[in-house]
Amino acid sequence: MSDIRSLGYLRVQTQDVARWRELAVDGLGMAVGSGPEEGGLYLRVDERQARLAVLPGDVDKVQAVGWEVRDQFGLQAVREKVEKAGIEVREFTLEEADYRAFERGITFTDPSGTAVEVFFGPVLDHSPVVTPHGGRFVTGAAGFGHVVLPTPLFQETYDFYTEVLGFLPRGAIRLGGPGAPGPARRVRFLGVNERHHSLAICPAPPTEVPGMVHLMMEVDTLDAVGQALDRVNKLGFSLSSTLGRHTNDKMVSFYVRAPGGWDLEFGTEGMIVDESHFTAEEITADSYWGHDWSGSEPLAAFTPKA
């Protein structure tokens, strides 16, 4: 099992913080948290000060994906494995750790160019989590949710997360379907806890800045999902996908387009994996029903957005 326990946080940069606030707070019902950067939007769903940081900038990009370990021993184990793989690791200064609201952490770049931050000892905010629409988010041991990352170096990235960081393969889907011509290209799903997948990686062409395909957040009821769907429609956000249920993690969700061209998946009823009995499988359809991508290419949920 991986020393990494969960997806801790995501930090993104955007040209439109105000529109992000409309989507995340007014639409999806995240609470406004706290953070150090003036003009930044810090979004809270539990006792963490911020699970999602949206910071102003000239371009839209993913600044870092934060992964949590249990303690200093877990952090050291990850550092040793990454350095043994020939990747440079830098430890955060005390000031940098304070900026990110944790005790200690390290950073390195994965083979696809995404900045990875591994940490322990998150600083908690024990004040009530007052979400604007009363929604309750599913985090805890399962972490923040899951993130799907594009990579032009698919095999190298897959090997890094599985063989170096110890993520567990939780299945795949073949791009183009089972009968697609040529060498098989797959989206692969990777887990570190009871959530079906905390990370998925998707073959993609090279880009100048790190991006993502989508970020998934989970709430505790179907009503909360439906109410959020109504709100984002009224706010004029573009739905990338209608409501549907996925075949692999059983999540009932919809996808909404965020500033920057990425998607946010908002869902409920995600499966709990019993690792003692789980086997990785290849799905042949991404959904049992719904998830209509409105004429976009098949598996649009797993392909990078322009």
Side-chain angles (χ1 to χ4, degrees), residues 263-286:
D263 283 339
L264 298 183
E265 181 186 5
F266 198 77
T268 191
E269 300 181 11
M271 74 178 293
I272 301 299
V273 170
D274 180 352
E275 188 56 43
S276 63
H277 301 289
F278 184 84
T279 59
E281 300 169 322
E282 180 166 305
I283 56 175
T284 55
D286 65 333

Side-chain angles (χ1 to χ4, degrees), residues 19-286:
R19 191 60 171 157
W20 261 97
R21 179 185 292 267
E22 282 188 275
L23 174 57
V25 179
D26 300 335
L28 300 180
M30 301 177 77
V32 176
S34 60
E37 192 160 326
E38 185 176 355
L41 174 63
Y42 295 89
L43 296 163
R44 187 180 173 209
V45 297
D46 54 17
E47 285 194 315
R48 305 298 173 90
Q49 290 187 6
R51 288 285 195 173
L52 175 60
V54 181
L55 307 177
D58 295 333
V59 297
D60 296 277
K61 67 178 183 178
V62 172
Q63 287 192 351
V65 181
W67 298 100
E68 186 170 355
V69 295
R70 185 185 188 280
D71 50 30
Q72 67 268 35
F73 305 110
L75 187 69
Q76 182 61 26
V78 171
R79 179 171 191 163
E80 290 174 358
K81 291 172 184 175
V82 174
E83 289 179 334
K84 186 177 180 180
I87 295 176
E88 182 180 357
V89 177
R90 185 176 70 83
E91 184 167 359
F92 287 120
T93 66
L94 293 177
E95 292 76 15
E96 289 171 326
D98 285 344
Y99 173 88
R100 291 162 175 80
F102 53 63
E103 184 175 339
R104 282 178 54 197
I106 58 175
T107 184
F108 50 87
T109 302
D110 76 9
S112 65
T114 299
V116 178
E117 299 179 354
V118 181
F119 70 97
F120 75 89
V123 178
L124 301 184
D125 180 347
H126 300 297
S127 64
V129 182
V130 183
T131 57
H133 305 290
R136 296 178 60 184
F137 287 78
V138 177
T139 56
F144 179 30
H146 74 236
V147 63
V148 181
L149 299 176
T151 174
L153 299 172
F154 184 85
Q155 192 61 46
E156 294 93 327
T157 302
Y158 177 70
D159 291 345
F160 174 74
Y161 279 100
T162 54
E163 297 178 14
V164 178
L165 295 184
F167 282 59
L168 296 172
R170 293 269 173 83
I173 185 167
R174 183 168 175 170
L175 294 173
R185 299 171 65 245
R186 291 178 171 88
V187 176
R188 294 197 179 273
F189 306 96
L190 304 172
V192 291
N193 53 45
E194 65 184 12
R195 194 182 291 284
H196 179 272
H197 56 282
S198 297
L199 171 68
I201 55 173
C202 175
T207 58
E208 293 183 1
V209 295
M212 68 175 170
V213 180
H214 74 254
L215 167 68
M216 187 283 296
M217 293 170 284
E218 185 176 1
V219 287
D220 63 345
T221 69
L222 182 59
D223 284 343
V225 173
Q227 290 161 3
L229 180 56
D230 285 347
R231 290 193 299 266
V232 298
N233 272 318
K234 289 179 182 177
L235 289 167
F237 286 94
S238 174
L239 288 184
S240 298
S241 165
T242 61
L243 193 69
R245 185 187 289 276
H246 280 308
T247 54
N248 57 0
D249 65 1
K250 317 306 180 190
M251 187 79 66
V252 178
S253 63
F254 67 88
Y255 291 73
V256 59
R257 185 62 51 90
W262 309 314
D263 283 339
L264 298 183
E265 181 186 5
F266 198 77
T268 191
E269 300 181 11
M271 74 178 293
I272 301 299
V273 170
D274 180 352
E275 188 56 43
S276 63
H277 301 289
F278 184 84
T279 59
E281 300 169 322
E282 180 166 305
I283 56 175
T284 55
D286 65 333

